[in-house]
Amino acid sequence: MSRIRNGHVLKLADGSFFIEEAPYRTEVLEEAEIYYKYFDLMEAQGRANMRTGLESTMQRVSFTITLVSEPPAI
């Protein structure tokens, strides 16, 4: 069974994405920090600016979560 999930990432002015641990940015979208609540996103935007010195924009992302059942033990 699959579900589509939505969240937001912060895209920095240099085109990279914000992550919460040093070096605080990544070029790979799949490694970006995902935020689900607007308040968390707003706080993260302040941290992104403080830690990287770059402005950031909010980018909405959608992804699919698929639950895969483990095969029965033999």
Side-chain angles (χ1 to χ4, degrees), residues 6-44:
N6 297 308
H8 287 83
V9 297
L10 293 174
K11 188 171 187 178
L12 301 171
D14 67 356
S16 62
F17 299 94
F18 181 65
I19 55 176
E20 291 283 355
E21 295 181 9
Y24 304 112
R25 56 184 172 201
T26 180
E27 300 294 324
V28 182
L29 176 61
E30 287 82 8
E31 295 174 358
E33 202 74 38
I34 299 174
Y35 301 94
Y36 299 102
K37 297 180 181 176
Y38 185 73
F39 185 75
D40 293 341
L41 183 61
M42 293 299 295
E43 286 185 335

Side-chain angles (χ1 to χ4, degrees), residues 69-74:
S69 300
E70 291 186 30
I74 299 177

